[in-house]
Amino acid sequence: MTTSLSPRTLGIDSAPPPAVGSIPFSRLVGVEWAKATDTRAARWLLALVALSTTAMVLVAVLVPTSFDQTDASYLRVAALGLTILLPVVAILVFTGEWSQRSVFTTFTQEPRRIRVLNAKLAVSSMLGGAGAVFGGVVTAAGLGLASVSGRELEADLTVGAITGYLLFVLLNVFAGAALGALLQSSAVAIATSFALPAAFAVL
């Protein structure tokens, strides 16, 4: 007499274990957002972005002879203030895990690198959009201060000017993100982001 042993007899579940689902993209974005904003260094850097933007607009308010006194001119000044350091934030979003050696954890949790890069790009876009809104608020405040001082300002803001402002800010952020993804080194990418405009100006 032979006895057949089934998987249940041996204490083995015959059904295959349920497949582990992939990490939701929203969670990847949340993790990358926390990396970009929820550290002491990140907060200081974002504070410097806000400070540089505010300082540039204040210069336009306090030294009116050096700037065209138009709405579009103030918006351009705010855009320049934003793009001094905001691309650096985007660079660090892409290079932070390489410089801090946490990339192995990222690859272990989510081996599909393209999803991680897309999450980082989404966070960079959100930071660029938030920066552009902040620049608009600072511009409005600067225009209000200029009006209170009795200065006559030319109201020349158009849809094209606002669109150009948004594109300028976002494209600078995307350029920083591209450098970070390409070079994977914070110091080299940041140095390149400041050197390239100077090199183009010389050319």
Side-chain angles (χ1 to χ4, degrees), residues 14-104:
S14 59
V20 178
S22 61
I23 299 175
F25 185 71
S26 59
R27 186 178 302 171
L28 291 176
V29 172
V31 169
E32 296 301 332
W33 178 264
K35 290 180 184 178
T37 61
D38 202 21
T39 65
R40 183 178 300 176
R43 289 170 184 164
W44 274 107
L45 188 54
L46 291 173
L48 288 174
V49 171
L51 185 63
S52 65
T53 306
T54 305
M56 289 287 288
V57 174
L58 277 177
V59 169
V61 172
L62 298 176
V63 190
T65 56
S66 301
F67 297 91
D68 294 334
Q69 295 301 300
T70 67
D71 293 353
S73 176
Y74 275 68
L75 195 62
R76 284 194 294 269
V77 169
L80 290 174
L82 276 173
T83 54
I84 293 173
L85 290 176
L86 196 56
V88 175
V89 180
I91 288 173
L92 295 178
V93 169
F94 279 82
T95 62
E97 62 184 4
W98 295 96
S99 61
Q100 297 169 10
R101 305 299 182 189
S102 63
V103 67
F104 300 109

Side-chain angles (χ1 to χ4, degrees), residues 140-163:
L143 291 171
L145 287 175
S147 298
V148 168
S149 66
R151 199 173 307 159
E152 292 186 4
L153 296 166
E154 181 182 347
D156 60 346
L157 272 184
T158 62
V159 174
I162 296 173
T163 302

Side-chain angles (χ1 to χ4, degrees), residues 89-90 93-94 119-129 170 173-174 177:
V89 180
V93 169
F94 279 82
K120 292 177 182 294
L121 187 60
V123 168
S124 299
S125 303
M126 292 162 62
L127 288 170
L170 289 175
V173 170
F174 290 152

